[in-house]
Amino acid sequence: PPDSQGYGGWTYSMQKVDLGSAIELRSTGTYDNASRSVKGALLRIPKPFENTLSVGGDLSLRGLFARVEVYNQTRISGRYSQTRGARGWFEDKQEGASSQDTTIPVPDYDESGTSDEFSDFVLFGRDAVQSYSPDEVVYIQTNGTVNIFPDEDLVGKKVIFVEGSTPGAGDVNIFFDTSWQEGEDLTVISTGTVTYLEPLQFQEDARLSIIAWDDYNELSVFRSQHESVIYAHDDAQFVDILDWGSTTGNIIANDDMSLLEVLTYEKYYYSDKAINGDLPPGFQGLCSANGVLSSKLSDWQEW
């Protein structure tokens, strides 16, 4: 819109400010001697959120009497391979894709001039914790392994950050099943590896998201259906046994992704929530100047 407009005795002005990871829209309205200013931001969502599967390295499918179906876009910077015992069907698969379409580097949080360092990831996790009220977060500093079970103490939590002192320390094991609460929206951040064990997981209307500096491992037995946004800074590995299930969301592995399927029928569906501005908790800190503008104004407030 134009910088300023007037109508019926009042005027308003609009200003667009480029913040790198977002475009901020500022508006001031004036009538007589009174004025009010509001602002909102359009986030730049990383491009991998346009895909169901985003793989910065190679994608491999191995298995026995197994079928995998991936709907919407699959983008692979490396190559795809599969063994004879498993069949993969992809609605839209491209190999050799640009890393901008498949990976998300961690922004330069420590302002060292080099992004995607472990120190950047630690500061990113701390910032994610500080973005919410104390009763919405769990912050654990340990070099050991943390086990997370569905519990009433986790109801309403937004971020769990497990911080180790060195890269790969601070592993997390998640054991969520049918007792996980409906409507929850929780992100687990770890400086190590996150392993998700999901026996009989059916909470499609709850979102459990992962941000791991190291690997992401998922083991599913029998039937499972859930919604997740998964980001592995390294590899992502999925093992499904006797499973007839589905995952809805976005899966991003900055390095390789492997699918090991035994007597399974797995489906991966796309979710456009993130690209439309509904990012899982904590993920805003991964937005950068290279993203796609969301269609949803966030942080609308007076200024």
PDB file of all heavy atoms in Angstrom, residues 172 174 192-198 208-219 226 228-238 247 251-253 256-258:
ATOM      1  N   VAL A 172      18.198 -37.914  24.045  1.00  0.00           N
ATOM      2  CA  VAL A 172      16.819 -37.975  24.531  1.00  0.00           C
ATOM      3  C   VAL A 172      16.139 -39.209  23.965  1.00  0.00           C
ATOM      4  O   VAL A 172      16.219 -39.482  22.767  1.00  0.00           O
ATOM      5  CB  VAL A 172      16.025 -36.720  24.114  1.00  0.00           C
ATOM      6  CG1 VAL A 172      14.559 -36.861  24.517  1.00  0.00           C
ATOM      7  CG2 VAL A 172      16.617 -35.467  24.749  1.00  0.00           C
ATOM      8  N   ILE A 174      12.273 -40.732  23.722  1.00  0.00           N
ATOM      9  CA  ILE A 174      10.872 -40.351  23.882  1.00  0.00           C
ATOM     10  C   ILE A 174      10.009 -41.603  23.793  1.00  0.00           C
ATOM     11  O   ILE A 174      10.128 -42.385  22.851  1.00  0.00           O
ATOM     12  CB  ILE A 174      10.442 -39.348  22.795  1.00  0.00           C
ATOM     13  CG1 ILE A 174      11.320 -38.095  22.854  1.00  0.00           C
ATOM     14  CG2 ILE A 174       8.985 -38.967  22.942  1.00  0.00           C
ATOM     15  CD1 ILE A 174      11.061 -37.122  21.718  1.00  0.00           C
ATOM     16  N   GLY A 192      22.133 -33.730  21.418  1.00  0.00           N
ATOM     17  CA  GLY A 192      22.595 -35.067  21.062  1.00  0.00           C
ATOM     18  C   GLY A 192      21.679 -35.713  20.048  1.00  0.00           C
ATOM     19  O   GLY A 192      21.214 -35.081  19.097  1.00  0.00           O
ATOM     20  N   THR A 193      21.402 -37.001  20.246  1.00  0.00           N
ATOM     21  CA  THR A 193      20.524 -37.787  19.380  1.00  0.00           C
ATOM     22  C   THR A 193      19.167 -37.948  20.041  1.00  0.00           C
ATOM     23  O   THR A 193      19.079 -38.182  21.243  1.00  0.00           O
ATOM     24  CB  THR A 193      21.142 -39.168  19.105  1.00  0.00           C
ATOM     25  OG1 THR A 193      22.301 -39.014  18.287  1.00  0.00           O
ATOM     26  CG2 THR A 193      20.157 -40.082  18.391  1.00  0.00           C
ATOM     27  N   VAL A 194      18.107 -37.832  19.270  1.00  0.00           N
ATOM     28  CA  VAL A 194      16.751 -38.063  19.765  1.00  0.00           C
ATOM     29  C   VAL A 194      16.247 -39.381  19.196  1.00  0.00           C
ATOM     30  O   VAL A 194      16.273 -39.597  17.976  1.00  0.00           O
ATOM     31  CB  VAL A 194      15.801 -36.924  19.370  1.00  0.00           C
ATOM     32  CG1 VAL A 194      14.369 -37.251  19.807  1.00  0.00           C
ATOM     33  CG2 VAL A 194      16.248 -35.609  19.997  1.00  0.00           C
ATOM     34  N   THR A 195      15.779 -40.263  20.078  1.00  0.00           N
ATOM     35  CA  THR A 195      15.202 -41.540  19.677  1.00  0.00           C
ATOM     36  C   THR A 195      13.752 -41.563  20.116  1.00  0.00           C
ATOM     37  O   THR A 195      13.438 -41.364  21.290  1.00  0.00           O
ATOM     38  CB  THR A 195      15.954 -42.718  20.314  1.00  0.00           C
ATOM     39  OG1 THR A 195      17.326 -42.687  19.892  1.00  0.00           O
ATOM     40  CG2 THR A 195      15.340 -44.041  19.892  1.00  0.00           C
ATOM     41  N   TYR A 196      12.866 -41.787  19.165  1.00  0.00           N
ATOM     42  CA  TYR A 196      11.428 -41.765  19.417  1.00  0.00           C
ATOM     43  C   TYR A 196      10.887 -43.175  19.267  1.00  0.00           C
ATOM     44  O   TYR A 196      10.882 -43.748  18.184  1.00  0.00           O
ATOM     45  CB  TYR A 196      10.767 -40.798  18.425  1.00  0.00           C
ATOM     46  CG  TYR A 196       9.266 -40.620  18.564  1.00  0.00           C
ATOM     47  CD1 TYR A 196       8.568 -40.988  19.708  1.00  0.00           C
ATOM     48  CD2 TYR A 196       8.543 -40.050  17.518  1.00  0.00           C
ATOM     49  CE1 TYR A 196       7.219 -40.807  19.809  1.00  0.00           C
ATOM     50  CE2 TYR A 196       7.169 -39.855  17.610  1.00  0.00           C
ATOM     51  CZ  TYR A 196       6.512 -40.240  18.755  1.00  0.00           C
ATOM     52  OH  TYR A 196       5.154 -40.056  18.851  1.00  0.00           O
ATOM     53  N   LEU A 197      10.426 -43.763  20.376  1.00  0.00           N
ATOM     54  CA  LEU A 197       9.805 -45.085  20.385  1.00  0.00           C
ATOM     55  C   LEU A 197       8.302 -44.893  20.497  1.00  0.00           C
ATOM     56  O   LEU A 197       7.820 -44.307  21.463  1.00  0.00           O
ATOM     57  CB  LEU A 197      10.329 -45.913  21.562  1.00  0.00           C
ATOM     58  CG  LEU A 197      11.854 -46.064  21.634  1.00  0.00           C
ATOM     59  CD1 LEU A 197      12.258 -46.804  22.898  1.00  0.00           C
ATOM     60  CD2 LEU A 197      12.371 -46.793  20.411  1.00  0.00           C
ATOM     61  N   GLU A 198       7.540 -45.386  19.519  1.00  0.00           N
ATOM     62  CA  GLU A 198       6.121 -45.060  19.472  1.00  0.00           C
ATOM     63  C   GLU A 198       5.256 -46.302  19.327  1.00  0.00           C
ATOM     64  O   GLU A 198       4.756 -46.612  18.240  1.00  0.00           O
ATOM     65  CB  GLU A 198       5.847 -44.089  18.332  1.00  0.00           C
ATOM     66  CG  GLU A 198       6.540 -44.430  17.030  1.00  0.00           C
ATOM     67  CD  GLU A 198       6.100 -43.537  15.896  1.00  0.00           C
ATOM     68  OE1 GLU A 198       4.997 -43.741  15.365  1.00  0.00           O
ATOM     69  OE2 GLU A 198       6.874 -42.658  15.546  1.00  0.00           O
ATOM     70  N   LEU A 208       4.019 -33.421  17.972  1.00  0.00           N
ATOM     71  CA  LEU A 208       5.259 -33.625  18.707  1.00  0.00           C
ATOM     72  C   LEU A 208       6.411 -33.418  17.728  1.00  0.00           C
ATOM     73  O   LEU A 208       6.579 -34.202  16.790  1.00  0.00           O
ATOM     74  CB  LEU A 208       5.310 -35.032  19.303  1.00  0.00           C
ATOM     75  CG  LEU A 208       6.621 -35.389  20.021  1.00  0.00           C
ATOM     76  CD1 LEU A 208       6.833 -34.494  21.229  1.00  0.00           C
ATOM     77  CD2 LEU A 208       6.621 -36.857  20.441  1.00  0.00           C
ATOM     78  N   SER A 209       7.188 -32.373  17.930  1.00  0.00           N
ATOM     79  CA  SER A 209       8.232 -32.013  16.983  1.00  0.00           C
ATOM     80  C   SER A 209       9.614 -32.192  17.610  1.00  0.00           C
ATOM     81  O   SER A 209       9.767 -32.169  18.833  1.00  0.00           O
ATOM     82  CB  SER A 209       8.049 -30.566  16.514  1.00  0.00           C
ATOM     83  OG  SER A 209       6.775 -30.398  15.922  1.00  0.00           O
ATOM     84  N   ILE A 210      10.612 -32.375  16.738  1.00  0.00           N
ATOM     85  CA  ILE A 210      11.963 -32.714  17.177  1.00  0.00           C
ATOM     86  C   ILE A 210      12.978 -31.790  16.499  1.00  0.00           C
ATOM     87  O   ILE A 210      12.883 -31.534  15.296  1.00  0.00           O
ATOM     88  CB  ILE A 210      12.309 -34.173  16.817  1.00  0.00           C
ATOM     89  CG1 ILE A 210      11.218 -35.138  17.293  1.00  0.00           C
ATOM     90  CG2 ILE A 210      13.679 -34.544  17.376  1.00  0.00           C
ATOM     91  CD1 ILE A 210      11.032 -35.194  18.776  1.00  0.00           C
ATOM     92  N   ILE A 211      13.953 -31.333  17.276  1.00  0.00           N
ATOM     93  CA  ILE A 211      15.118 -30.630  16.742  1.00  0.00           C
ATOM     94  C   ILE A 211      16.342 -31.271  17.387  1.00  0.00           C
ATOM     95  O   ILE A 211      16.541 -31.148  18.593  1.00  0.00           O
ATOM     96  CB  ILE A 211      15.084 -29.128  17.050  1.00  0.00           C
ATOM     97  CG1 ILE A 211      13.836 -28.481  16.441  1.00  0.00           C
ATOM     98  CG2 ILE A 211      16.336 -28.441  16.522  1.00  0.00           C
ATOM     99  CD1 ILE A 211      13.665 -27.009  16.806  1.00  0.00           C
ATOM    100  N   ALA A 212      17.150 -31.973  16.599  1.00  0.00           N
ATOM    101  CA  ALA A 212      18.305 -32.696  17.132  1.00  0.00           C
ATOM    102  C   ALA A 212      19.577 -32.223  16.447  1.00  0.00           C
ATOM    103  O   ALA A 212      19.648 -32.196  15.215  1.00  0.00           O
ATOM    104  CB  ALA A 212      18.138 -34.205  16.936  1.00  0.00           C
ATOM    105  N   TRP A 213      20.570 -31.870  17.249  1.00  0.00           N
ATOM    106  CA  TRP A 213      21.863 -31.501  16.671  1.00  0.00           C
ATOM    107  C   TRP A 213      22.525 -32.697  16.006  1.00  0.00           C
ATOM    108  O   TRP A 213      23.169 -32.577  14.966  1.00  0.00           O
ATOM    109  CB  TRP A 213      22.787 -30.934  17.742  1.00  0.00           C
ATOM    110  CG  TRP A 213      24.197 -30.720  17.255  1.00  0.00           C
ATOM    111  CD1 TRP A 213      25.278 -31.517  17.467  1.00  0.00           C
ATOM    112  CD2 TRP A 213      24.655 -29.640  16.417  1.00  0.00           C
ATOM    113  NE1 TRP A 213      26.392 -31.010  16.842  1.00  0.00           N
ATOM    114  CE2 TRP A 213      26.036 -29.852  16.183  1.00  0.00           C
ATOM    115  CE3 TRP A 213      24.046 -28.527  15.852  1.00  0.00           C
ATOM    116  CZ2 TRP A 213      26.808 -28.974  15.407  1.00  0.00           C
ATOM    117  CZ3 TRP A 213      24.812 -27.665  15.088  1.00  0.00           C
ATOM    118  CH2 TRP A 213      26.170 -27.895  14.871  1.00  0.00           C
ATOM    119  N   ASP A 214      22.352 -33.878  16.598  1.00  0.00           N
ATOM    120  CA  ASP A 214      22.947 -35.098  16.057  1.00  0.00           C
ATOM    121  C   ASP A 214      21.890 -35.834  15.228  1.00  0.00           C
ATOM    122  O   ASP A 214      21.277 -35.246  14.357  1.00  0.00           O
ATOM    123  CB  ASP A 214      23.470 -35.955  17.210  1.00  0.00           C
ATOM    124  CG  ASP A 214      24.670 -36.803  16.808  1.00  0.00           C
ATOM    125  OD1 ASP A 214      24.905 -36.943  15.609  1.00  0.00           O
ATOM    126  OD2 ASP A 214      25.360 -37.326  17.705  1.00  0.00           O
ATOM    127  N   ASP A 215      21.657 -37.102  15.488  1.00  0.00           N
ATOM    128  CA  ASP A 215      20.740 -37.908  14.681  1.00  0.00           C
ATOM    129  C   ASP A 215      19.327 -37.917  15.252  1.00  0.00           C
ATOM    130  O   ASP A 215      19.097 -37.585  16.425  1.00  0.00           O
ATOM    131  CB  ASP A 215      21.233 -39.355  14.597  1.00  0.00           C
ATOM    132  CG  ASP A 215      22.557 -39.481  13.873  1.00  0.00           C
ATOM    133  OD1 ASP A 215      22.927 -38.538  13.146  1.00  0.00           O
ATOM    134  OD2 ASP A 215      23.216 -40.523  14.038  1.00  0.00           O
ATOM    135  N   TYR A 216      18.396 -38.340  14.413  1.00  0.00           N
ATOM    136  CA  TYR A 216      17.034 -38.658  14.849  1.00  0.00           C
ATOM    137  C   TYR A 216      16.757 -40.108  14.490  1.00  0.00           C
ATOM    138  O   TYR A 216      16.932 -40.521  13.335  1.00  0.00           O
ATOM    139  CB  TYR A 216      16.005 -37.761  14.172  1.00  0.00           C
ATOM    140  CG  TYR A 216      14.583 -38.178  14.473  1.00  0.00           C
ATOM    141  CD1 TYR A 216      13.994 -37.880  15.696  1.00  0.00           C
ATOM    142  CD2 TYR A 216      13.831 -38.897  13.537  1.00  0.00           C
ATOM    143  CE1 TYR A 216      12.699 -38.270  15.976  1.00  0.00           C
ATOM    144  CE2 TYR A 216      12.530 -39.292  13.813  1.00  0.00           C
ATOM    145  CZ  TYR A 216      11.974 -38.970  15.036  1.00  0.00           C
ATOM    146  OH  TYR A 216      10.687 -39.372  15.317  1.00  0.00           O
ATOM    147  N   ASN A 217      16.332 -40.910  15.482  1.00  0.00           N
ATOM    148  CA  ASN A 217      15.989 -42.317  15.272  1.00  0.00           C
ATOM    149  C   ASN A 217      14.535 -42.532  15.668  1.00  0.00           C
ATOM    150  O   ASN A 217      14.104 -42.064  16.731  1.00  0.00           O
ATOM    151  CB  ASN A 217      16.883 -43.234  16.120  1.00  0.00           C
ATOM    152  CG  ASN A 217      18.353 -43.054  15.811  1.00  0.00           C
ATOM    153  OD1 ASN A 217      18.735 -42.926  14.655  1.00  0.00           O
ATOM    154  ND2 ASN A 217      19.177 -43.032  16.844  1.00  0.00           N
ATOM    155  N   GLU A 218      13.789 -43.237  14.829  1.00  0.00           N
ATOM    156  CA  GLU A 218      12.395 -43.528  15.151  1.00  0.00           C
ATOM    157  C   GLU A 218      12.130 -45.014  14.963  1.00  0.00           C
ATOM    158  O   GLU A 218      12.419 -45.578  13.917  1.00  0.00           O
ATOM    159  CB  GLU A 218      11.462 -42.698  14.265  1.00  0.00           C
ATOM    160  CG  GLU A 218       9.984 -42.929  14.565  1.00  0.00           C
ATOM    161  CD  GLU A 218       9.084 -41.993  13.782  1.00  0.00           C
ATOM    162  OE1 GLU A 218       9.296 -40.759  13.865  1.00  0.00           O
ATOM    163  OE2 GLU A 218       8.179 -42.478  13.079  1.00  0.00           O
ATOM    164  N   LEU A 219      11.554 -45.621  15.984  1.00  0.00           N
ATOM    165  CA  LEU A 219      11.192 -47.036  15.950  1.00  0.00           C
ATOM    166  C   LEU A 219       9.699 -47.163  16.189  1.00  0.00           C
ATOM    167  O   LEU A 219       9.184 -46.714  17.212  1.00  0.00           O
ATOM    168  CB  LEU A 219      11.949 -47.833  17.005  1.00  0.00           C
ATOM    169  CG  LEU A 219      11.549 -49.306  17.165  1.00  0.00           C
ATOM    170  CD1 LEU A 219      11.780 -50.075  15.867  1.00  0.00           C
ATOM    171  CD2 LEU A 219      12.304 -49.956  18.312  1.00  0.00           C
ATOM    172  N   HIS A 226       0.601 -40.221  13.683  1.00  0.00           N
ATOM    173  CA  HIS A 226       0.894 -39.024  14.464  1.00  0.00           C
ATOM    174  C   HIS A 226       1.329 -37.894  13.545  1.00  0.00           C
ATOM    175  O   HIS A 226       1.621 -38.094  12.362  1.00  0.00           O
ATOM    176  CB  HIS A 226       1.981 -39.297  15.505  1.00  0.00           C
ATOM    177  CG  HIS A 226       3.301 -39.700  14.918  1.00  0.00           C
ATOM    178  ND1 HIS A 226       4.330 -38.810  14.710  1.00  0.00           N
ATOM    179  CD2 HIS A 226       3.773 -40.892  14.473  1.00  0.00           C
ATOM    180  CE1 HIS A 226       5.364 -39.443  14.174  1.00  0.00           C
ATOM    181  NE2 HIS A 226       5.048 -40.715  14.022  1.00  0.00           N
ATOM    182  N   SER A 228       4.149 -34.810  13.172  1.00  0.00           N
ATOM    183  CA  SER A 228       5.448 -34.382  13.663  1.00  0.00           C
ATOM    184  C   SER A 228       6.138 -33.485  12.649  1.00  0.00           C
ATOM    185  O   SER A 228       5.982 -33.669  11.437  1.00  0.00           O
ATOM    186  CB  SER A 228       6.370 -35.581  13.936  1.00  0.00           C
ATOM    187  OG  SER A 228       5.898 -36.373  14.997  1.00  0.00           O
ATOM    188  N   VAL A 229       6.893 -32.532  13.156  1.00  0.00           N
ATOM    189  CA  VAL A 229       7.891 -31.819  12.367  1.00  0.00           C
ATOM    190  C   VAL A 229       9.239 -32.246  12.929  1.00  0.00           C
ATOM    191  O   VAL A 229       9.522 -32.035  14.106  1.00  0.00           O
ATOM    192  CB  VAL A 229       7.720 -30.295  12.455  1.00  0.00           C
ATOM    193  CG1 VAL A 229       8.859 -29.591  11.728  1.00  0.00           C
ATOM    194  CG2 VAL A 229       6.385 -29.880  11.869  1.00  0.00           C
ATOM    195  N   ILE A 230      10.043 -32.891  12.090  1.00  0.00           N
ATOM    196  CA  ILE A 230      11.294 -33.492  12.552  1.00  0.00           C
ATOM    197  C   ILE A 230      12.462 -32.828  11.834  1.00  0.00           C
ATOM    198  O   ILE A 230      12.485 -32.774  10.596  1.00  0.00           O
ATOM    199  CB  ILE A 230      11.300 -35.010  12.277  1.00  0.00           C
ATOM    200  CG1 ILE A 230      10.179 -35.680  13.079  1.00  0.00           C
ATOM    201  CG2 ILE A 230      12.655 -35.625  12.619  1.00  0.00           C
ATOM    202  CD1 ILE A 230       9.863 -37.079  12.619  1.00  0.00           C
ATOM    203  N   TYR A 231      13.412 -32.326  12.609  1.00  0.00           N
ATOM    204  CA  TYR A 231      14.612 -31.723  12.043  1.00  0.00           C
ATOM    205  C   TYR A 231      15.837 -32.380  12.675  1.00  0.00           C
ATOM    206  O   TYR A 231      16.056 -32.293  13.884  1.00  0.00           O
ATOM    207  CB  TYR A 231      14.643 -30.220  12.299  1.00  0.00           C
ATOM    208  CG  TYR A 231      15.986 -29.570  12.013  1.00  0.00           C
ATOM    209  CD1 TYR A 231      16.476 -29.486  10.715  1.00  0.00           C
ATOM    210  CD2 TYR A 231      16.756 -29.052  13.034  1.00  0.00           C
ATOM    211  CE1 TYR A 231      17.697 -28.884  10.449  1.00  0.00           C
ATOM    212  CE2 TYR A 231      17.982 -28.447  12.787  1.00  0.00           C
ATOM    213  CZ  TYR A 231      18.447 -28.368  11.492  1.00  0.00           C
ATOM    214  OH  TYR A 231      19.665 -27.791  11.234  1.00  0.00           O
ATOM    215  N   ALA A 232      16.620 -33.075  11.849  1.00  0.00           N
ATOM    216  CA  ALA A 232      17.867 -33.684  12.301  1.00  0.00           C
ATOM    217  C   ALA A 232      19.013 -32.948  11.623  1.00  0.00           C
ATOM    218  O   ALA A 232      19.099 -32.921  10.395  1.00  0.00           O
ATOM    219  CB  ALA A 232      17.906 -35.162  11.956  1.00  0.00           C
ATOM    220  N   HIS A 233      19.890 -32.374  12.424  1.00  0.00           N
ATOM    221  CA  HIS A 233      21.036 -31.662  11.867  1.00  0.00           C
ATOM    222  C   HIS A 233      21.993 -32.626  11.185  1.00  0.00           C
ATOM    223  O   HIS A 233      22.778 -32.222  10.316  1.00  0.00           O
ATOM    224  CB  HIS A 233      21.745 -30.885  12.976  1.00  0.00           C
ATOM    225  CG  HIS A 233      22.814 -29.976  12.496  1.00  0.00           C
ATOM    226  ND1 HIS A 233      24.147 -30.323  12.504  1.00  0.00           N
ATOM    227  CD2 HIS A 233      22.756 -28.736  11.966  1.00  0.00           C
ATOM    228  CE1 HIS A 233      24.862 -29.323  12.016  1.00  0.00           C
ATOM    229  NE2 HIS A 233      24.051 -28.353  11.678  1.00  0.00           N
ATOM    230  N   ASP A 234      21.901 -33.918  11.542  1.00  0.00           N
ATOM    231  CA  ASP A 234      22.735 -34.946  10.926  1.00  0.00           C
ATOM    232  C   ASP A 234      21.819 -35.932  10.184  1.00  0.00           C
ATOM    233  O   ASP A 234      21.131 -35.548   9.262  1.00  0.00           O
ATOM    234  CB  ASP A 234      23.579 -35.636  11.991  1.00  0.00           C
ATOM    235  CG  ASP A 234      24.814 -36.322  11.423  1.00  0.00           C
ATOM    236  OD1 ASP A 234      24.924 -36.417  10.186  1.00  0.00           O
ATOM    237  OD2 ASP A 234      25.672 -36.763  12.206  1.00  0.00           O
ATOM    238  N   ASP A 235      21.790 -37.207  10.589  1.00  0.00           N
ATOM    239  CA  ASP A 235      21.020 -38.237   9.882  1.00  0.00           C
ATOM    240  C   ASP A 235      19.655 -38.463  10.530  1.00  0.00           C
ATOM    241  O   ASP A 235      19.463 -38.212  11.730  1.00  0.00           O
ATOM    242  CB  ASP A 235      21.777 -39.564   9.885  1.00  0.00           C
ATOM    243  CG  ASP A 235      23.117 -39.482   9.173  1.00  0.00           C
ATOM    244  OD1 ASP A 235      23.250 -38.626   8.273  1.00  0.00           O
ATOM    245  OD2 ASP A 235      24.022 -40.263   9.517  1.00  0.00           O
ATOM    246  N   ALA A 236      18.722 -38.992   9.738  1.00  0.00           N
ATOM    247  CA  ALA A 236      17.425 -39.441  10.244  1.00  0.00           C
ATOM    248  C   ALA A 236      17.233 -40.902   9.836  1.00  0.00           C
ATOM    249  O   ALA A 236      17.435 -41.249   8.672  1.00  0.00           O
ATOM    250  CB  ALA A 236      16.295 -38.584   9.702  1.00  0.00           C
ATOM    251  N   GLN A 237      16.858 -41.741  10.799  1.00  0.00           N
ATOM    252  CA  GLN A 237      16.725 -43.171  10.556  1.00  0.00           C
ATOM    253  C   GLN A 237      15.387 -43.652  11.094  1.00  0.00           C
ATOM    254  O   GLN A 237      15.050 -43.411  12.250  1.00  0.00           O
ATOM    255  CB  GLN A 237      17.870 -43.929  11.240  1.00  0.00           C
ATOM    256  CG  GLN A 237      19.246 -43.507  10.748  1.00  0.00           C
ATOM    257  CD  GLN A 237      20.346 -43.724  11.781  1.00  0.00           C
ATOM    258  OE1 GLN A 237      20.155 -44.458  12.737  1.00  0.00           O
ATOM    259  NE2 GLN A 237      21.479 -43.084  11.568  1.00  0.00           N
ATOM    260  N   PHE A 238      14.619 -44.345  10.235  1.00  0.00           N
ATOM    261  CA  PHE A 238      13.302 -44.846  10.606  1.00  0.00           C
ATOM    262  C   PHE A 238      13.297 -46.373  10.484  1.00  0.00           C
ATOM    263  O   PHE A 238      13.698 -46.925   9.460  1.00  0.00           O
ATOM    264  CB  PHE A 238      12.230 -44.258   9.690  1.00  0.00           C
ATOM    265  CG  PHE A 238      12.071 -42.769   9.825  1.00  0.00           C
ATOM    266  CD1 PHE A 238      12.953 -41.904   9.191  1.00  0.00           C
ATOM    267  CD2 PHE A 238      11.051 -42.234  10.588  1.00  0.00           C
ATOM    268  CE1 PHE A 238      12.813 -40.529   9.316  1.00  0.00           C
ATOM    269  CE2 PHE A 238      10.906 -40.866  10.721  1.00  0.00           C
ATOM    270  CZ  PHE A 238      11.789 -40.014  10.083  1.00  0.00           C
ATOM    271  N   THR A 247       2.678 -40.849   9.050  1.00  0.00           N
ATOM    272  CA  THR A 247       3.208 -39.642   9.680  1.00  0.00           C
ATOM    273  C   THR A 247       2.787 -38.450   8.828  1.00  0.00           C
ATOM    274  O   THR A 247       2.961 -38.451   7.610  1.00  0.00           O
ATOM    275  CB  THR A 247       4.737 -39.683   9.772  1.00  0.00           C
ATOM    276  OG1 THR A 247       5.131 -40.801  10.569  1.00  0.00           O
ATOM    277  CG2 THR A 247       5.273 -38.408  10.418  1.00  0.00           C
ATOM    278  N   ILE A 251       9.634 -33.800   7.425  1.00  0.00           N
ATOM    279  CA  ILE A 251      10.826 -34.466   7.948  1.00  0.00           C
ATOM    280  C   ILE A 251      12.027 -33.915   7.205  1.00  0.00           C
ATOM    281  O   ILE A 251      12.089 -33.965   5.974  1.00  0.00           O
ATOM    282  CB  ILE A 251      10.738 -35.989   7.789  1.00  0.00           C
ATOM    283  CG1 ILE A 251       9.488 -36.525   8.505  1.00  0.00           C
ATOM    284  CG2 ILE A 251      11.996 -36.657   8.333  1.00  0.00           C
ATOM    285  CD1 ILE A 251       9.227 -37.989   8.264  1.00  0.00           C
ATOM    286  N   ILE A 252      12.986 -33.375   7.956  1.00  0.00           N
ATOM    287  CA  ILE A 252      14.151 -32.703   7.376  1.00  0.00           C
ATOM    288  C   ILE A 252      15.408 -33.317   7.973  1.00  0.00           C
ATOM    289  O   ILE A 252      15.583 -33.309   9.199  1.00  0.00           O
ATOM    290  CB  ILE A 252      14.116 -31.194   7.667  1.00  0.00           C
ATOM    291  CG1 ILE A 252      12.825 -30.572   7.127  1.00  0.00           C
ATOM    292  CG2 ILE A 252      15.341 -30.493   7.074  1.00  0.00           C
ATOM    293  CD1 ILE A 252      12.461 -29.248   7.761  1.00  0.00           C
ATOM    294  N   ALA A 253      16.264 -33.864   7.130  1.00  0.00           N
ATOM    295  CA  ALA A 253      17.559 -34.400   7.560  1.00  0.00           C
ATOM    296  C   ALA A 253      18.642 -33.666   6.783  1.00  0.00           C
ATOM    297  O   ALA A 253      18.677 -33.745   5.555  1.00  0.00           O
ATOM    298  CB  ALA A 253      17.634 -35.899   7.314  1.00  0.00           C
ATOM    299  N   ASP A 256      21.998 -37.760   5.682  1.00  0.00           N
ATOM    300  CA  ASP A 256      21.305 -38.891   5.051  1.00  0.00           C
ATOM    301  C   ASP A 256      20.024 -39.258   5.794  1.00  0.00           C
ATOM    302  O   ASP A 256      19.864 -38.980   6.987  1.00  0.00           O
ATOM    303  CB  ASP A 256      22.219 -40.116   5.016  1.00  0.00           C
ATOM    304  CG  ASP A 256      23.457 -39.898   4.175  1.00  0.00           C
ATOM    305  OD1 ASP A 256      23.401 -39.091   3.224  1.00  0.00           O
ATOM    306  OD2 ASP A 256      24.498 -40.532   4.470  1.00  0.00           O
ATOM    307  N   MET A 257      19.114 -39.933   5.077  1.00  0.00           N
ATOM    308  CA  MET A 257      17.904 -40.484   5.667  1.00  0.00           C
ATOM    309  C   MET A 257      17.761 -41.926   5.215  1.00  0.00           C
ATOM    310  O   MET A 257      17.958 -42.232   4.034  1.00  0.00           O
ATOM    311  CB  MET A 257      16.667 -39.691   5.255  1.00  0.00           C
ATOM    312  CG  MET A 257      15.365 -40.185   5.893  1.00  0.00           C
ATOM    313  SD  MET A 257      13.881 -39.276   5.322  1.00  0.00           S
ATOM    314  CE  MET A 257      14.278 -37.616   5.866  1.00  0.00           C
ATOM    315  N   SER A 258      17.442 -42.817   6.162  1.00  0.00           N
ATOM    316  CA  SER A 258      17.265 -44.222   5.822  1.00  0.00           C
ATOM    317  C   SER A 258      15.944 -44.731   6.366  1.00  0.00           C
ATOM    318  O   SER A 258      15.515 -44.349   7.459  1.00  0.00           O
ATOM    319  CB  SER A 258      18.422 -45.070   6.378  1.00  0.00           C
ATOM    320  OG  SER A 258      18.426 -45.052   7.791  1.00  0.00           O
TER     321      SER A 258
END
